[in-house]
Amino acid sequence: NAPHIIGNGAQRRRTETEREKKIRMSMKESIGITRHQQLIRQRFLIALVSSICFFLGSHVSNRILLHGETYNADTQVGERARLDPVDAFLRDTLAPDYDPILWGELRKILSASTNLIEISLGPHASMKDLVADFCPLNFTAQKENPLEFSTFEDVVENSHCGKGSENNIIRVDLKEVVQLAREFDIYVANNVDSPVPTVLSLKGVVFHESRCGSTLAANSMMALDPTKNRVYASESGPPEFAMKICGEGYSGCSVESAANLMKDVVYMMGRSNDPREDNLFFILSPEATRTMETFRAAFPTTPWIFLYRTPVEALLSQGRNPAFSLNSSPMVKAFVERNKMDDETVKKQMHAIQLATFCWSALRNFKDADGLGLAVKYSYDLASDFIDTIFPKHFHTPVEQDGEDRIRQISKKYNKKRDGLSPGPPGEKHKEVDAPKSMRDTAKRFLEPSFKKLQYSKYNLEHCRFFNPGGGVYLRVQDDEEQSADD
């Protein structure tokens, strides 16, 4: 299971040492035939075969493949046909004695017929030797039935890329394979009329408080245009790894280092061998909100939203099994110290504390994002928010009538396990009254301050619609009302 190190194990032509050149040349000499002589002999044999077939009354029109090159026996000229772009690139890039097994694996990666599904630390446990796992993902099943495959884990398992499917996984050095993929994509763009694979355009990213419409958001993104859109929904492994690798306070590495890794991850996950695909969307985990600076540094012009909900609904939706880790963190510790909480209180209120850190993290980033971030409250009519505003005016993705119809249809199917408590239609008896007094007190103490800040933020969707109903939501204004978010 050790990763193949492309640079060290194969030795690219451009870094080939003089000693290696001598070894390669001596191998050629030991064969006793030059490339030119090979071509002459091949053409002579083809001409001989054609002559024999002519006298036998048959016509040779087959293309004969010799040593990776194609010749037409009809013309007897030996014209070289266009090689497959991947093979042509690898032949020109890698050494002649390259491992044929790894050649085949690289071929799958470069052609985008296999996809990045996981990143892990290598033997030295540093960012310099990260290991990447690739496996062919079945996006067709997700496009046809987003309700059944609404998370990245669902897609991975359905594609036989999860646990117990090690034989389907290609494991390579991440840095090396990203460099090779970028070089190949430039090569294809310059040498192929209809380049495939293509690199999809990152249209938008969703952060969320937890169980507040992220599954509906993912399903809406897919339903909008299943042919054009690729959606990595709900905690896909590689971007989560990149967002968290440096830690919340970036004590392990810098924001720039994490951002560079994030760029590589999104680049590899955005390569597509389906020429019909154009757009790329991600749904990230609640914990990723705490290190949103990584995403913003990597993609400073990409719009994003933060989904949140009323404090009591947020707590009721978590139940006993929240959709996030309850482990402590630097941000949690800072929150506890600021509120002067004892250990017993921390243990009882950990759900609320975690939710509060997600909201305060989003608020801190709204101020610096210069209008690219949008706060969206989870409501009964969230689908309309996406149709009317988020898709066309924030993510700049047009909404056609058939796309709107698909979104409204899929929004009728509610996933309580993943999206928590339903907000309920307007006018319905509010479910907060069902919460015990202790929970309402907890919500008021820990979640209401950040909730109010989100509600009245200049970057809230309702605020944008009220003050600019006919325009976009790129406000580009300085927000000075959320100073406590920085604290």
Side-chain angles (χ1 to χ4, degrees):
N1 289 330
H4 288 118
I5 309 301
I6 298 168
N8 296 337
Q11 299 298 339
R12 300 193 183 190
R13 286 186 189 273
R14 62 175 176 276
T15 59
E16 193 175 40
T17 64
E18 288 299 317
R19 180 173 179 275
E20 288 165 342
K21 288 181 180 179
K22 291 180 180 179
I23 293 174
R24 186 158 57 85
M25 292 303 296
S26 64
M27 289 175 62
K28 282 178 124 183
E29 291 171 358
S30 65
I31 295 174
I33 183 170
T34 65
R35 182 62 175 163
H36 179 66
Q37 290 172 326
Q38 283 183 334
L39 294 178
I40 293 176
R41 291 189 180 186
Q42 289 169 4
R43 294 177 183 179
F44 173 78
L45 289 173
I46 292 171
L48 179 62
V49 171
S50 299
S51 300
I52 295 174
C53 291
F54 175 80
F55 285 111
L56 291 176
S58 62
H59 182 69
V60 177
S61 60
N62 300 13
R63 284 189 172 183
I64 302 174
L65 186 66
L66 294 174
H67 297 280
E69 302 205 9
T70 307
Y71 297 89
N72 193 308
D74 288 331
T75 61
Q76 301 180 19
V77 175
E79 294 179 353
R80 182 178 177 186
R82 184 189 297 268
L83 290 176
D84 177 271
V86 181
D87 287 331
F89 171 78
L90 290 175
R91 191 194 63 177
D92 293 341
T93 304
L94 304 176
D97 56 346
Y98 198 82
D99 181 355
I101 295 178
L102 186 52
W103 179 296
E105 293 179 342
L106 286 178
R107 199 181 192 288
K108 294 177 182 178
I109 294 173
L110 295 184
S111 64
S113 61
T114 190
N115 311 95
L116 179 63
I117 63 168
E118 188 175 355
I119 300 175
S120 56
L121 293 173
H124 303 291
S126 72
M127 291 187 67
K128 295 181 179 180
D129 66 338
L130 297 177
V131 177
D133 287 0
F134 288 80
C135 189
L137 293 180
N138 181 8
F139 291 109
T140 302
Q142 182 197 30
K143 292 173 184 287
E144 294 175 350
N145 192 353
L147 285 171
E148 185 175 351
F149 305 106
S150 58
T151 70
F152 183 69
E153 184 180 0
D154 293 335
V155 176
V156 169
E157 290 295 330
N158 183 62
S159 305
H160 306 290
C161 295
K163 293 181 179 179
S165 304
E166 287 77 11
N167 291 336
N168 297 332
I169 293 175
I170 297 173
R171 182 163 293 170
V172 292
D173 178 85
L174 176 66
K175 183 179 179 180
E176 291 286 343
V177 81
V178 168
Q179 181 180 350
L180 201 63
R182 291 183 183 276
E183 292 175 4
F184 172 70
D185 291 342
I186 294 173
Y187 171 87
V188 168
N190 293 332
N191 294 280
V192 180
D193 294 334
S194 300
V196 174
T198 57
V199 181
L200 306 181
S201 173
L202 181 60
K203 289 294 186 177
V205 173
V206 174
F207 296 90
H208 58 101
E209 184 184 6
S210 176
R211 290 182 178 156
C212 54
S214 61
T215 303
L216 176 58
N219 293 341
S220 298
M221 290 170 172
M222 187 57 72
L224 175 64
D225 194 332
T227 302
K228 289 186 176 181
N229 295 350
R230 176 181 291 189
V231 181
Y232 287 101
S234 296
E235 296 85 58
S236 52
E240 296 292 327
F241 183 94
M243 292 289 286
K244 299 173 184 177
I245 190 170
C246 294
E248 290 177 11
Y250 294 93
S251 58
C253 52
S254 66
V255 174
E256 291 75 18
S257 297
N260 288 334
L261 176 58
M262 188 69 173
K263 290 178 186 177
D264 289 343
V265 166
V266 172
Y267 185 86
M268 296 304 294
M269 297 182 78
R271 299 178 75 249
S272 172
N273 63 348
D274 184 349
R276 299 170 299 174
E277 288 189 319
D278 286 327
N279 307 320
L280 182 65
F281 297 94
F282 281 91
I283 313 288
L284 298 179
S285 71
E287 291 95 331
T289 308
R290 294 177 182 153
T291 52
M292 197 186 292
E293 290 84 354
T294 294
F295 160 75
R296 290 181 40 240
F299 303 99
T301 61
T302 299
W304 53 274
I305 68 172
F306 177 72
L307 290 170
Y308 69 101
R309 65 189 311 167
T310 62
V312 174
E313 285 182 356
L315 285 177
L316 281 172
S317 296
Q318 300 308 317
R320 295 183 178 180
N321 299 305
F324 49 82
S325 171
L326 291 177
N327 294 331
S328 186
S329 72
M331 197 167 292
V332 168
K333 291 178 180 177
F335 186 89
V336 168
E337 291 174 2
R338 177 171 179 173
N339 288 274
K340 300 178 180 179
M341 301 166 62
D342 57 54
D343 292 343
E344 186 64 25
T345 303
V346 171
K347 185 176 180 180
K348 289 181 179 180
Q349 310 299 347
M350 184 55 80
H351 286 197
I353 294 170
Q354 297 277 358
L355 292 171
T357 62
F358 303 150
C359 294
W360 285 117
S361 297
L363 282 164
R364 182 183 70 241
N365 282 276
F366 280 126
K367 190 175 69 172
D368 298 330
D370 196 23
L372 287 170
L374 192 65
V376 181
K377 180 186 172 185
Y378 185 28
S379 67
Y380 177 76
D381 206 17
L382 181 61
S384 292
D385 291 337
F386 274 95
I387 291 169
D388 298 335
T389 308
I390 298 172
F391 281 138
K393 298 178 181 179
H394 194 51
F395 290 164
H396 297 289
T397 308
V399 179
E400 305 294 342
Q401 186 60 53
D402 56 349
E404 177 179 343
D405 294 341
R406 285 191 296 267
I407 293 174
R408 295 200 182 280
Q409 183 63 33
I410 205 169
S411 67
K412 296 177 182 178
K413 310 283 186 172
Y414 191 75
N415 192 324
K416 183 176 181 180
K417 180 180 178 181
R418 288 173 175 161
D419 272 342
L421 188 71
S422 171
E428 185 181 87
K429 183 180 179 182
H430 205 275
K431 293 181 174 61
E432 288 191 3
V433 298
D434 298 330
K437 183 179 183 303
S438 59
M439 180 176 288
R440 281 182 277 150
D441 291 343
T442 297
K444 183 176 182 179
R445 178 183 178 185
F446 296 111
L447 297 178
E448 193 166 303
S450 58
F451 174 77
K452 287 182 176 180
K453 292 287 186 182
L454 287 166
Q455 282 288 90
Y456 297 108
S457 170
K458 295 177 182 179
Y459 304 102
N460 189 285
L461 175 62
E462 292 302 321
H463 184 99
C464 294
R465 276 202 290 239
F466 181 78
F467 287 101
N468 191 20
V473 293
Y474 284 87
L475 298 185
R476 304 288 183 185
V477 295
Q478 185 63 36
D479 189 355
D480 57 3
E481 65 186 13
E482 293 148 358
Q483 187 174 0
S484 57
D486 290 332
D487 299 336

